[in-house]
Each structure stands twice: as structure tokens, then as C-alpha cells.
Amino acid sequence: MNQAIRGDMPLQASLLTAAAPCSPQEWLTQLVWRFQTGISQLPRYMGLGAEPYQQLLVTCNVPSAVIGLLQHQRQTLLSELLAMREQECQELEQWLSDYLQPDAAPMARIIAVASMGYNHLWQDLGLDTRQSLRELMQCCFPDLAQMNSQNMRWKKFFYRQQCALGGNYVCRSPSCDECVEREGCFAPEE
């Protein structure tokens, strides 16, 4: 992992190992630290854009970090890949915003951006476990967490919901119970 934090900025490891955050602000701060240390797999500025990202740093009271070359290259590549799916990302962000706790902005954008990634959502966010993602969702998107009562993988759940609403997404089966991929959607993480 290519961790590059300014030499004069002590990494507050307690933020990464402390008890689970219990407020949207704490979750945002946690995600910013994970992004700045290279743990997450997100594009430049967490996909927010330069100005909103700087505002998030101020809101979370996190100093800006200098990143290493490899981390910069990875973020740039992820930014280019995101640009190809920006319309899809914006649609997902808008849908997520409908369920977002008022004090959790810009979490809908961060989750939508991470959903464009190629790993499990919890991995692209840099979280330690899928359970951590569930806790984040319960805190910042409680109605969605309640809707996902069968603990379906989050990206699959998002797109399943979009499909049910008549979005432009292809549903492979009329019912999860009939789908050949059911075990993959609901299986525990390994």
C-alpha cells in the first residue's frame, strides 16, 4: 500500500482502529482518513471534485495530505474510469440522496463513486469488513439499511432497487429467489 501522509501530520491511527463511528460526521472523517492514507480505492478528491473535497477536509478537521506517486497514479486512473460512468454514478447518487440522513452530506456521492469500483463496496471504501459497511449504511442511510433486510451485497442491492423502480438497469431474474446468482449475492464475505 502506498501510504503518503505529510511528515508533519501524525496519522491518527486511533481514527482507523477505534470503535465504529456512530454519527455521519464520524463516518465521513473515517473515510477521509482512509482515503488520505491510501487504504480506499477512490478517484481523486474521493470523486467529489477539488472544492467540495477541500470543504470536506475542513468540515472533518482533517489536514490535507501529500500523496505518493503510485497513489496519485491510481487515483488518476480511477478518475478516468469514473468519467466514463459519470451518468450512472449521478443517477445512483441522486437515488441514494433520497435516503440520506440530513447531516451525512456528501456521503451519497462518496458511496455512488465507490459503487463504480471493481471490488466489493466495503473494500473500495477502505473499510475493514462488510459489517462496517452495514454500520455505515445504518447510520447514514437507515431506511436503505432496513430495506436490505436479507443483507444482500450493497451494490447488488442498489441496482436491484433501481431495476425495481424501472431504471435503465437490466434485471437478470424476476425474483432473487429464482436467480441462479442468489448465493453470490447473499453469501457471507470470505
Side-chain angles (χ1 to χ4, degrees), residues 2 9-10 15 38 40 54 66 82-83 87 119 121 157 161 181:
N2 182 26
M9 184 176 75
L15 285 173
S40 64
Q54 291 303 319
V66 176
L82 175 63
Q87 181 179 350
N119 300 305
L121 182 55
F157 173 77
Q161 294 298 311
E181 294 183 359

Side-chain angles (χ1 to χ4, degrees), residues 152-185:
M152 185 181 221
R153 297 202 198 291
W154 284 104
K155 283 197 262 186
K156 290 183 182 277
F157 173 77
F158 296 159
Y159 286 98
R160 183 76 180 158
Q161 294 298 311
Q162 293 283 294
C163 179
L165 293 172
N168 295 326
Y169 305 102
V170 177
C171 296
R172 295 185 179 181
S173 176
S175 168
C176 286
D177 292 332
E178 298 172 20
C179 182
V180 296
E181 294 183 359
R182 186 181 202 303
E183 285 184 34
C185 292

Side-chain angles (χ1 to χ4, degrees), residues 130 134 137-138 141-158 161 185-186:
R130 185 169 178 240
R134 182 141 194 85
M137 295 300 292
Q138 287 170 333
F141 303 90
D143 292 339
L144 279 182
Q146 189 172 17
M147 289 167 57
N148 190 3
S149 61
Q150 293 184 3
N151 203 22
M152 185 181 221
R153 297 202 198 291
W154 284 104
K155 283 197 262 186
K156 290 183 182 277
F157 173 77
F158 296 159
Q161 294 298 311
C185 292
F186 294 96

